[in-house]
Amino acid sequence: MTATTPDDPKTLVSTDWLAAHLKDPDLRIFDATWYLPDAGRDAENEYAAQHIPGARFFDIDDISDGRSELPHMAPPVEKFMSRMRAMGVGDGHQVVVYDGLGLFSAARVWWLFRLMGQKNIAVLDGGLPKWLAEGRPVTSDAPTIRDRHMTVKFEGHRVRDVTDVARAAKLGDHSIIDARAPARFRGEAPEPRPGMRSGHIPNAKNVFYKTLLNANGTMKPATALRTVFQDAGVDLQKPAITTCGSGVTAAVLALALERIGKTDHSLYDGSWSEWGMYADLPIATGA
């Protein structure tokens, strides 16, 4: 496995890179800010007040599978295609996605695009906070949008359901990596969603997503990322399944794995919102 370059339009790009390409005709930008329900912040209102010029707002909760009772599950292909067309994003475009926390929910949209077979998408390293700290331009103006066609090729190997994960936990043939905070992983802190049991999937390893980031919200270099995974006891020789509370920060792990050149990873979309809800599924506590 080899590390990717620092600016990689298929994984992660810097604010310098985005500033240099901001007026490229085939660039499309998404503000994919999403906050936990108890954060007391409104992502769409914040987008309306200020966003990177040209950015569209990507509503993770809306562009999801409305048939599922679980939060923001991956949408059907047809829904994804129609929403992207309406937002003017299609074949031949380079997409850059960011969020208002630095590097949090943007990775979820990166993973979703990859699930839909789209390769030319990158997360903005450090997100909107870094962009603002550097005095770069923002606007409240809505972008001009023209319909564009997108060809989607669903890559089912990038997502796992509860049956897949239960099998992997029992057989030990995958590295299951949980992005939640250590206290939640150990079962010492309550879950933010009502009705959830506390603990983690048996045989999972805990890599809190924030340990993959620098203090300014940017992602650590590839060598440091690899060390974080290894120090947490993750066997990088096995295929990986990432998980978290509801499939958002699990995508930060997926992005980090991609940055170190590990491509055999998938995401448990239901994550603890599903696993923690069913009493017949086993849980573990402690480290």
Side-chain angles (χ1 to χ4, degrees):
M1 295 183 291
T2 57
T4 51
T5 55
D7 275 319
D8 177 9
K10 292 180 171 57
T11 56
L12 198 68
V13 294
S14 65
T15 50
D16 285 342
W17 186 98
L18 182 57
H21 292 82
L22 199 57
K23 295 184 178 180
D24 288 4
D26 288 329
L27 179 72
R28 296 293 182 269
I29 307 171
F30 279 126
D31 181 327
T33 302
W34 177 86
Y35 299 116
L36 287 167
D38 58 0
R41 298 178 66 174
D42 188 313
E44 194 162 7
N45 282 345
E46 290 181 16
Y47 163 82
Q50 62 174 8
H51 52 264
I52 295 175
R56 293 106 161 106
F57 183 70
F58 191 108
D59 189 331
I60 287 174
D61 287 324
D62 178 61
I63 306 175
S64 65
D65 187 352
R67 303 164 300 182
S68 176
E69 295 180 356
L70 297 170
H72 41 253
M73 294 286 281
V77 168
E78 296 77 12
K79 182 175 184 178
F80 180 82
M81 289 176 64
S82 66
R83 293 300 176 88
M84 292 306 100
R85 179 170 184 169
M87 296 170 79
V89 180
D91 295 340
H93 285 151
Q94 169 65 50
V95 180
V96 174
V97 58
Y98 70 88
D99 64 60
L101 289 178
L103 209 168
F104 180 64
S105 53
R108 169 71 187 190
V109 176
W110 171 83
W111 171 81
L112 182 57
F113 267 70
R114 298 300 295 269
L115 179 67
M116 298 296 173
Q118 305 299 308
K119 309 298 184 187
N120 296 324
I121 178 164
V123 172
L124 179 63
D125 202 15
L128 186 61
K130 189 170 187 290
W131 185 268
L132 292 173
E134 294 167 351
R136 300 186 189 273
V138 290
T139 183
S140 60
D141 295 339
T144 301
I145 293 175
R146 299 180 179 86
D147 278 9
R148 287 286 292 265
H149 173 73
M150 176 180 285
T151 303
V152 168
K153 183 180 179 183
F154 186 79
E155 297 187 357
H157 65 278
R158 296 186 181 276
V159 66
R160 291 290 177 263
D161 63 21
V162 65
T163 303
D164 298 326
V165 178
R167 183 185 301 112
K170 183 177 181 179
L171 296 178
D173 56 352
H174 287 68
S175 290
I176 302 174
I177 318 172
D178 191 321
R180 292 176 300 157
R184 288 175 65 190
F185 177 84
R186 294 192 298 262
E188 298 168 357
E191 288 297 305
R193 294 176 177 83
M196 298 290 101
R197 299 176 296 161
S198 295
H200 60 265
I201 299 167
N203 295 320
K205 302 295 184 182
N206 187 208
V207 176
F208 184 30
Y209 82 95
K210 288 186 178 181
T211 63
L212 300 168
L213 307 178
N214 298 307
N216 66 351
T218 58
M219 185 163 277
K220 291 178 179 178
T223 52
L225 295 176
R226 182 181 294 277
T227 298
V228 171
F229 284 115
Q230 292 172 336
D231 287 351
V234 175
D235 185 348
L236 293 173
Q237 299 306 310
K238 294 179 180 179
I241 298 173
T242 64
T243 182
C244 61
S246 64
V248 173
T249 56
V252 179
L253 301 187
L255 180 63
L257 290 170
E258 197 81 12
R259 289 289 286 178
I260 66 172
K262 183 171 176 62
T263 58
D264 56 343
H265 56 83
S266 53
L267 185 147
Y268 174 25
D269 205 10
S271 283
W272 197 254
S273 295
E274 181 175 39
W275 194 280
M277 184 169 58
Y278 293 110
D280 58 337
L281 291 171
I283 62 171
T285 55

